[in-house]
Amino acid sequence: MGGPFFGVRPSEFRGGVLLRGVEQTIASRVQCTGIGLHTGQPVDLALRPAAPGTGVLFVRTDGPQPVRFPARAEWVTDTRLATTLGNEDSRLSTIEHLVSALRGMGIDNCTVEVAGPELPIMDGSAASFVYLIQQAGIRAQARMRRRIVIRRQIEVRDGNRWVRVMPSREFKLSVEIDYAHPAIGRQALDGLVISPELFAREIAPARTFGFLKDTQRLQAIGLARGGSLANAVVLDETRVLNAEGLRFRDEFARHKVLDLIGDLALLGVPLQGHVKAVRGGHQLHQALVAEIRANPSCWTLETPGSEREPALDGGVFQPVPGRV
């Protein structure tokens, strides 16, 4: 619907997959401070190594007692403005960029300490989190990495928006967006085989984006107080307002890939399949995750070099205490 079309061929993206070998964690503790997107307040963040089988575990440290949130789909409470985890007493929002960075860099187990109700937005991309992971280093662990292997197609739709996952020998992503805006238009990334090298170079630097009129509306109701040109690509009716311009000509589509990786990571283990998202978003991505969880006959849980495991495994999909 107007605007340019940007396509990337699979051959332009090379590198290994994130499905084989042993689990990994970071090698040392690292920390940073940034601004919360909605509160506009400083937020302290620390990443710590975690034991095999832990997964990504968020811990809010700003209350009288630590509150823990596993980065799993069953803990998601909201996807409207960001991906939010929560329970009856506490919530933690804007987790998607960090979770995407951990999955994209091949980190299976990590404890994330956050002194506030949301993660820092940093520059609106995952590049700062990739830098933290690189500074911490990566350590192999004595446990084979399990994966969900898609055997039959699963799809969710919402009008002309849809996301599907199909069988594949690799973790592969295809994303298409279409905005009636002259600076965006239709953009597509096709058949990306995700590796840490590709993620760090081609996906992580892509920033979140939004429209000036929406930002002004959110700030008027007390949200997006930390939002600025320093942590998002902002557009008015006709153009990009950031003085430095775009980091990639198709930065908008690349950020959708970043979000999709983070949302799929909430399955709890890596996914082996080809995911295609057309006009997707957090809500639709999480609907696909829910549909995968609800259809164990369409996939198997496997460990390289071993027999297939039962499709529904307590170590993958665990119930949330106190939640129906």
Side-chain angles (χ1 to χ4, degrees):
M1 294 178 63
F5 170 79
F6 299 133
V8 179
R9 298 185 300 275
S11 61
E12 295 175 303
F13 287 84
R14 302 185 185 276
V17 295
L18 300 173
L19 300 173
R20 303 183 181 94
V22 297
E23 292 186 359
Q24 298 183 131
T25 188
I26 58 174
S28 61
R29 181 183 183 275
V30 286
Q31 65 182 37
C32 69
T33 300
I35 299 298
L37 174 62
H38 292 300
T39 64
Q41 299 298 312
V43 183
D44 293 327
L45 172 76
L47 308 183
R48 292 182 179 273
T54 301
V56 176
L57 178 66
F58 287 95
V59 183
R60 270 193 69 170
T61 60
D62 57 319
Q65 296 293 331
V67 183
R68 293 171 172 80
F69 305 97
R72 296 177 183 267
E74 57 265 40
W75 287 82
V76 173
T77 60
D78 199 347
T79 58
R80 285 173 294 179
L81 298 176
T83 300
T84 300
L85 305 177
N87 59 22
E88 293 82 356
D89 304 314
S90 185
R91 291 160 63 90
L92 184 65
S93 68
T94 324
I95 66 156
E96 58 269 26
H97 297 169
L98 176 57
V99 174
S100 183
L102 291 167
R103 173 65 77 228
M105 297 301 290
I107 302 298
D108 302 280
N109 305 302
C110 184
T111 298
V112 183
E113 298 176 345
V114 187
E118 60 180 332
L119 270 66
I121 190 63
M122 309 308 284
D123 70 347
S125 77
S128 296
F129 299 133
V130 167
Y131 176 78
L132 279 180
I133 294 166
Q134 292 171 333
Q135 292 302 299
I138 298 175
R139 187 176 76 228
Q141 297 179 289
R143 175 180 165 123
M144 296 300 295
R145 175 180 286 141
R146 298 184 296 172
R147 65 190 187 272
I148 290 175
V149 180
I150 297 298
R151 299 298 177 184
R152 289 196 291 276
Q153 178 176 301
I154 301 173
E155 179 180 288
V156 293
R157 284 185 172 267
D158 179 13
N160 67 347
R161 303 167 59 241
W162 54 269
V163 184
R164 72 167 63 110
V165 60
M166 301 163 285
S168 172
R169 296 174 63 88
E170 301 164 307
F171 176 44
K172 188 183 298 185
L173 300 178
S174 297
V175 167
E176 180 181 322
I177 63 173
D178 194 350
Y179 285 82
H181 189 286
I184 305 178
R186 180 171 177 254
Q187 301 181 5
L189 298 167
D190 187 40
L192 310 187
V193 178
I194 304 300
S195 70
E197 296 78 17
L198 180 145
F199 183 86
R201 183 182 68 248
E202 305 287 350
I203 303 301
R207 296 161 293 177
T208 191
F209 61 94
F211 300 94
L212 181 62
K213 60 182 180 180
D214 295 332
T215 301
Q216 293 171 332
R217 176 180 57 82
L218 290 171
Q219 290 177 338
I221 59 174
L223 299 174
R225 293 175 178 175
S228 72
L229 294 172
N231 52 41
V233 176
V234 182
L235 304 99
D236 63 11
E237 297 298 327
T238 61
R239 62 191 176 95
V240 171
L241 299 179
N242 304 64
E244 73 277 16
L246 298 175
R247 294 176 177 175
F248 307 95
R249 62 175 186 167
D250 53 358
E251 185 169 358
F252 307 100
R254 292 181 191 234
H255 188 78
K256 289 293 186 180
V257 172
L258 190 160
D259 281 343
L260 179 57
I261 292 170
D263 289 332
L264 293 172
L266 298 182
L267 282 166
V269 294
L271 178 71
Q272 180 179 320
H274 182 182
V275 181
K276 184 167 185 178
V278 175
R279 303 178 184 88
H282 291 303
Q283 187 172 11
L284 202 59
H285 299 165
Q286 287 304 319
L288 177 65
V289 168
E291 198 69 11
I292 293 171
R293 287 163 47 84
N295 288 277
S297 63
C298 295
W299 51 269
T300 54
L301 182 66
E302 300 184 17
T303 303
S306 66
E307 297 296 324
R308 297 178 182 178
E309 301 178 35
L312 285 176
D313 181 281
V316 178
F317 299 152
Q318 296 178 347
V320 180
R323 183 178 299 168
V324 177

